[in-house]
Structures are given as C-alpha cells and as structure tokens.
C-alpha cells in the first residue's frame, strides 16, 4: 500500500534544483540577461523545457531566483569576511579581497551577477532588489566602522556613513574592472591600497582628494 502511494506521487526529480539554479547563475553571469534564451537555460541547467517552466518559471522568474540566491550566498561570505574577529583594517581588507576573489573565480565569467548584470535589466523588481542589496551592504560596512570607533581604532568623529558608501563604491569598481579584464593580482593590490585611504582621518582624506 505504501509503495503504491509512493508511485502515485511520481518519480523523483533527476536533477538537483539548487545545482540547476547555480548553473543558471553562471549562464546569466556569462551572457547577461538579454543574451540568454530559454534554450540556453534548458541546455545549461540540464532541465527539460516542461520541468523548467513548472519548477523554475519563465526567464524573468529564473533570473530573479538566480540573483536572490547569488546575493544570499555572496552576502553571507562578505559579512563573514567583514565581521571576522580582527582589526578594522584587516576586516576591510578581507572584505575587499572577497570582492575581488568572487569577481575573478576561475571557470566563471568575471564580474558579478548583481553588480555587472542585474543593473542593466529593465525591470522594476530587479532594480529595487539591486538597490536593497547595495543599501544592506553599506549598512553592514557602516556598522563595522562604528565597531571600530567603539574599539578606539578610529576617532569618534570618523565619518562612518560616508566611508561605508566609499567602500561599496570601491567594491563595485573593483568588480567592474574584473569584468573588463583587469588581472586579479592588480585588483588585490589596489584593494589593499584602498583600505588605507578609507581609514584616513576626515581632514587628511580631504587634503588627499
């Protein structure tokens, strides 16, 4: 009786849904949104067309799922690097190194799905998602700066909010340079140098700029 009931539920899926979505991430990352077709997704995800539509939805829905999954995984790793129990400078350097590492993964298209691909998609929900991710990232960096203020690593008047935005701008810049073909070694060196700049006191930074 139990066996009959199991058969009625249908055969188990012949693919892993998370792995299929990871393949979709790589497809969109390498071809952009407009350059991807349903045939690309069917072939690249290893899912038949009927299953693709019934489980994942249309191209737009798959892309939304892809950027959410990508941002969740990327964001968790970025937060881990940022809030590691070390000095403020080391945490910021680790965060920017993670940005470079993620943008230059061997075997993947250079760049970032959220930074380099999603902003080019003419869709209100995608645009809002990108803005929310950027705001959340800046808030985390600002929090890390304020932890540094509390620990006495930077002065009480340190412009945490403004510098957090600068760090996120640096992260986006490094990512876009990776997409344009800048060598990983160069990006890592520039990321290290950038940390020293964002930690400058307010007056010194004004003179340097």
């Amino acid at each position: 009786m139990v066996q009959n009931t199991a058969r009625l539920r249908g055969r188990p899926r012949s693919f892993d849904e998370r792995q299929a979505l990871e393949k979709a991430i790589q497809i969109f990352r390498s071809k952009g949104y407009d350059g991807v077709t349903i045939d690309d997704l069917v072939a690249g995800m290893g899912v038949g067309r009927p299953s693709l539509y019934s489980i994942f939805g249309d191209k737009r829905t798959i892309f939304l799922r892809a950027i959410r999954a990508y941002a969740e995984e990327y964001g968790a790793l970025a937060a881990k690097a940022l809030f590691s129990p070390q000095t403020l400078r080391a945490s910021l350097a680790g965060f920017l190194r993670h940005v470079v590492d993620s943008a230059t993964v061997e075997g993947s298209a250079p760049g970032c799905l959220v930074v380099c691909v999603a902003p080019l998609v003419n869709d209100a929900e995608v645009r809002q998602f990108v803005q929310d991710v950027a705001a959340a990232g800046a808030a985390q960096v600002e929090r890390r700066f304020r932890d540094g203020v509390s620990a006495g690593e930077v002065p009480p008047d340190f412009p945490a909010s403004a510098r957090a935005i600068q760090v996120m701008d640096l992260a986006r810049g490094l990512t876009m340079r990776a997409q344009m073909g800048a060598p990983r070694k160069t990006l890592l060196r520039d990321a290290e140098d950038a940390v020293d700049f964002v930690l400058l006191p307010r007056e010194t930074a004004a003179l340097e700029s």
Side-chain angles (χ1 to χ4, degrees), residues 95-117:
F95 171 73
L96 290 178
R97 280 197 302 272
H98 167 71
V99 169
V100 173
D101 289 342
S102 298
T104 56
V105 175
E106 187 175 352
S108 297
C112 170
L113 189 65
V114 174
V115 172
C116 300
V117 177

Side-chain angles (χ1 to χ4, degrees), residues 6-127:
R7 279 197 296 269
L8 287 172
R9 292 174 182 166
R11 292 178 299 175
R13 292 175 186 169
S14 60
F15 62 90
D16 181 280
E17 190 169 335
R18 174 59 199 177
Q19 288 181 359
L21 191 59
E22 179 62 33
K23 291 176 181 176
I25 289 172
Q26 297 305 322
I27 295 166
F28 283 119
R29 190 168 164 174
S30 63
K31 293 191 171 186
Y33 180 78
D34 291 335
V36 172
T37 66
I38 288 295
D39 287 340
D40 291 330
L41 294 170
V42 168
M45 294 171 69
V47 182
R49 189 178 289 265
S51 295
L52 186 79
Y53 283 114
S54 64
I55 297 169
F56 295 98
D58 59 12
K59 173 181 161 179
R60 175 182 180 274
T61 304
I62 295 170
F63 183 74
L64 284 168
R65 287 189 60 178
I67 60 173
R68 285 167 183 153
Y70 180 85
E72 181 179 352
E73 180 179 359
Y74 176 90
L77 293 173
K80 182 179 179 180
L82 188 61
F83 292 104
S84 57
Q86 50 188 351
T87 65
L88 174 60
R89 190 196 184 288
S91 293
L92 292 171
F95 171 73
L96 290 178
R97 280 197 302 272
H98 167 71
V99 169
V100 173
D101 289 342
S102 298
T104 56
V105 175
E106 187 175 352
S108 297
C112 170
L113 189 65
V114 174
V115 172
C116 300
V117 177
L120 302 179
V121 180
N122 185 23
D123 183 282
E125 189 171 354
V126 173
R127 284 196 300 271

